[in-house]
Amino acid sequence: MRRMSWVAVLCCAGISAFATGCQKASPPQAEQPKPQVVTQTVQPQVAVPTGDDERSCRAFVQKFYDWYWNQSSGNADAEQQGDDKVPALKPAVLSPELIRLMKRDEARAKASGTYANLDFDPFLNSQDPDGKYNVVRVTVKGGVCRAKLSQRDIVAEARRSGPGWVFSNFYYPNYSEDGHKIKAPDDDPDDLIHILRLPCCD
């Protein structure tokens, strides 16, 4: 009877070990698929012009012309602002490129003893301006403001600079000596940047 007990014990131990081995050898369960992460492409937000942009640009342009010309318009005794003073204004009202080009033109004029590329007032588009310059229309697109002036068909272009604006260009139609508009072949107006970049004084 005692021998049978040990046999029984050994049989049970063998069966238990076999069962444990079978459990360890059983194939692992299939891995659960990982959830897919769906990414969305975020489109850049395009700044949409608001009424505030148009109002602030209109105020900037009008304030400049009121200071530069309108306060002395029609008053022969009033001190006239010179266009050479504008690049030195603080805070700046011109873009860095316009400041650089206007200062270069002034230096060329002094070196040559005569005019360089600018032989007219670039802000008034005239050598003998008259009447007040008022903003009559403003459009803002892509952070660029175009302000149409009431005199000489000038369009002042301004761009954002921090919370404010700076002038980046001035567009003019072509004029003959008697003040009549000249139609260029492509019917495009000239502009200040283009004039200042022309070769000069060679």
Side-chain angles (χ1 to χ4, degrees):
M1 291 294 292
R2 184 171 300 173
R3 181 179 297 176
M4 292 296 294
S5 297
W6 282 107
V7 170
V9 170
L10 289 174
C11 288
C12 288
I15 293 171
S16 176
F18 176 78
T20 303
C22 289
Q23 288 178 358
K24 290 182 180 178
S26 62
Q29 295 183 354
E31 293 184 1
Q32 295 295 325
K34 295 181 179 180
Q36 294 183 350
V37 178
V38 179
T39 58
Q40 294 182 346
T41 302
V42 179
Q43 297 294 332
Q45 296 295 316
V46 178
V48 178
T50 65
D52 289 340
D53 292 329
E54 294 180 357
R55 282 190 292 271
S56 64
C57 180
R58 178 186 289 269
F60 165 73
V61 176
Q62 190 63 61
K63 183 178 180 180
F64 171 78
Y65 276 93
D66 287 344
W67 165 79
Y68 186 75
W69 170 253
N70 290 343
Q71 65 178 346
S72 57
S73 175
N75 184 357
D77 297 327
E79 181 181 355
Q80 304 294 324
Q81 306 294 346
D83 60 85
D84 59 324
K85 296 180 181 178
V86 177
L89 289 178
K90 301 295 182 185
V93 297
L94 302 180
S95 68
E97 182 181 24
L98 265 184
I99 292 174
R100 178 182 64 81
L101 290 173
M102 288 192 68
K103 286 184 175 180
R104 184 182 71 170
D105 193 80
E106 183 182 359
R108 286 174 168 179
K110 288 180 179 178
S112 65
T114 182
Y115 292 109
N117 286 337
L118 285 181
D119 59 354
F120 68 103
D121 188 307
F123 308 116
L124 304 177
N125 190 27
S126 175
Q127 292 176 331
D128 300 302
D130 63 298
K132 291 191 175 183
Y133 286 64
N134 296 313
V135 178
V136 296
R137 185 173 64 253
V138 172
T139 58
V140 179
K141 184 177 181 180
V144 178
C145 171
R146 295 281 184 91
K148 174 76 168 60
L149 276 300
S150 59
Q151 301 288 347
R152 303 286 177 169
D153 284 346
I154 299 174
V155 175
E157 178 186 273
R159 294 178 181 270
R160 277 290 188 188
S161 177
W165 301 88
V166 292
F167 291 113
S168 53
N169 208 351
F170 291 81
Y171 296 88
Y172 331 102
N174 293 306
Y175 277 86
S176 62
E177 290 184 0
D178 62 0
H180 288 86
K181 192 176 186 180
I182 300 174
K183 275 197 172 183
D186 56 2
D187 200 27
D188 284 337
D190 212 338
D191 65 273
L192 181 55
I193 292 287
H194 175 253
I195 293 170
L196 291 172
R197 286 176 176 172
L198 292 172
C200 168
C201 317
D202 295 332

